[in-house]
Amino acid sequence: MPRLDRTQDVVQRLRGHWRLSLSEPLWGRSAILALRRVLDDEAEARLPHRADWCLGPDSFRQLLESLSESAQIVSLESVLQLHHDQLPRVALTFDGGWRDTLRQVSPILERLALPANVFLPCPVTQQAWSTWHEALSESLWREETADTAHRRLAEAGLPAPPIVTGQRDERYSQAIRNYIDELDQSESAATLCAVAAGLGTETTFTDEALDAFSIRRLEQGGLFRFGSLMPPRSVPRDARALARLRESRHQLSVLCRHPLPIAAAVDEFPDDALMQLAASADIERVLTRRAGWLEPPVDTVLLPRFVITHPVANSPGRLFDWLLGNLHT
């Protein structure tokens, strides 16, 4: 059997396993998916330093196709309601407020009439959110920001990043990823966040954020709803984080007719501090980045989401394995 046929056979068997599971375990189930960016170039999205947080147009369409075969892609409001449908309900969420939501995501979802939810750090600042991992790796990758990134890392006393010895190719991308992983294991998160915050003000990043006009336009189209992205690593009485969150919600109430009463968290490990911050800002629910299906009745504050990476989106087998592997019956 040719290799391609074997691969297709595996995929079909996994799809069969998924459909078989629908007869009982997934009856009445719901889940929320967390995505970040959809770039206009599949090869660029597949690069090692981006694969954990970027999709390309092909992998995004593959994700939607795989889901549509065996699930219902619905609004966030619908996914939080109890139901008895045979097919599970799935909601799409995008964290960060990147402009490619308008350029890449919107046309595809509008063509398929599928809803989505976008969570923004602060609507009128026109600065999208990214983790320090993403801000540093992207700054090192881009020719126009690499020198600044090298200088800021040196000023902070951090290890020297890899140097471009030829083209900016997959090998260099992997070197960046390895460097970021090493920093994650050995350096202070506060220092890394401070360096990333400075790099995030570069024009090459601020120009890629959704602007107020685009937010209004997307919401008026009827398929997109917007909510606030909670500040990272909050403590129970973090006055600055609370002020930022309240300001974000106020701006959304001015920009949008129906802002979401739900926020999304960027921290990997949600805790009581996150719940207290949400309560102080009158937020009903917080979407975390902890994997899992919604457990009925959906009456908890912190809700799980499945984080979708490029390898998962691009492979039906990996997607189904990721979803079914977190199913607790």
Side-chain angles (χ1 to χ4, degrees):
M1 182 184 293
R3 182 176 181 180
L4 179 60
D5 292 341
R6 289 202 303 270
T7 302
Q8 291 176 339
D9 181 60
V10 170
V11 169
Q12 290 302 323
R13 282 192 291 169
L14 284 167
R15 284 176 172 167
H17 175 51
W18 170 261
R19 292 193 182 99
L20 183 63
S21 299
L22 297 179
S23 62
E24 179 99 10
L26 294 183
W27 193 296
R29 293 276 188 171
S30 297
I32 304 171
L33 306 189
L35 298 92
R36 295 292 310 285
R37 303 190 61 181
V38 179
L39 305 182
D40 59 3
D41 188 304
E42 192 68 33
E44 289 288 319
R46 192 184 298 117
L47 288 168
H49 79 277
R50 289 184 179 142
D52 284 345
W53 56 287
C54 289
L55 304 185
D58 295 339
S59 50
F60 184 51
R61 282 190 288 267
Q62 176 65 68
L63 172 68
L64 298 178
E65 178 183 336
S66 300
L67 290 171
S68 297
E69 286 185 354
S70 303
Q72 308 168 80
I73 300 178
V74 301
S75 67
L76 194 55
E77 181 181 21
S78 295
V79 87
L80 295 178
Q81 294 175 350
L82 291 177
H83 70 94
H84 300 285
D85 301 342
Q86 182 178 1
L87 294 180
R89 294 181 180 181
V90 175
L92 303 176
T93 64
F94 292 83
D95 292 352
W98 293 93
R99 192 162 185 79
D100 43 62
T101 306
L102 176 68
R103 294 193 302 251
Q104 301 298 324
V105 177
S106 175
I108 296 175
L109 294 186
E110 287 177 359
R111 187 165 60 251
L112 300 173
L114 297 175
N117 311 272
V118 181
F119 294 92
L120 310 165
C122 206
V124 300
T125 60
Q126 288 188 230
Q127 184 172 344
W129 170 81
S130 60
T131 67
W132 69 259
H133 310 73
E134 297 155 10
L136 289 184
S137 61
E138 201 63 18
S139 297
L140 291 169
W141 174 258
R142 300 188 185 203
E143 187 174 357
E144 63 271 28
T145 55
D147 288 343
T148 302
H150 278 259
R151 187 185 73 251
R152 289 182 179 272
L153 288 164
E155 292 172 350
L158 295 169
I163 304 293
V164 181
T165 56
Q167 296 182 354
R168 280 175 162 75
D169 54 13
E170 186 170 344
R171 180 179 299 179
Y172 178 56
S173 173
Q174 184 63 59
I176 291 176
R177 175 163 184 154
N178 294 341
Y179 172 71
I180 296 298
D181 289 343
E182 291 172 5
L183 291 181
D184 199 18
Q185 296 295 323
S186 60
E187 302 297 334
S188 164
T191 302
L192 295 167
C193 287
V195 174
L199 293 170
T201 60
E202 295 290 325
T203 313
T204 186
F205 293 114
T206 56
D207 286 350
E208 295 186 5
L210 278 173
D211 60 280
F213 175 79
S214 298
I215 294 170
R216 281 180 170 167
R217 174 183 166 188
L218 287 171
E219 197 210 27
Q220 288 172 359
L223 291 177
F224 285 83
R225 292 190 67 186
F226 292 86
S228 295
L229 196 66
M230 300 185 73
R233 302 196 180 282
S234 304
V235 295
R237 297 182 181 179
D238 189 339
R240 182 179 300 179
L242 179 58
R244 286 173 54 194
L245 186 55
R246 284 176 172 169
E247 178 62 19
S248 174
R249 298 199 69 207
H250 171 70
Q251 292 173 5
L252 277 177
S253 69
V254 173
L255 281 175
C256 302
R257 296 178 181 177
H258 305 289
L260 290 166
I262 299 169
V266 300
D267 292 318
E268 294 184 9
F269 305 104
D271 53 20
D272 291 341
L274 197 61
M275 294 180 61
Q276 292 180 37
L277 180 61
S280 299
D282 297 322
I283 291 172
E284 297 176 5
R285 306 280 177 81
V286 177
L287 309 184
T288 71
R289 298 176 76 79
R290 172 177 55 85
W293 293 80
L294 301 179
E295 295 295 332
V298 186
D299 56 2
T300 58
V301 175
L302 303 180
L303 301 178
R305 287 188 294 174
F306 288 98
V307 176
I308 302 299
T309 63
H310 189 279
V312 168
N314 203 46
S315 166
R318 290 187 181 184
L319 173 65
F320 300 155
D321 185 57
W322 178 220
L323 297 175
L324 291 173
N326 285 273
L327 183 65
H328 304 290
T329 58

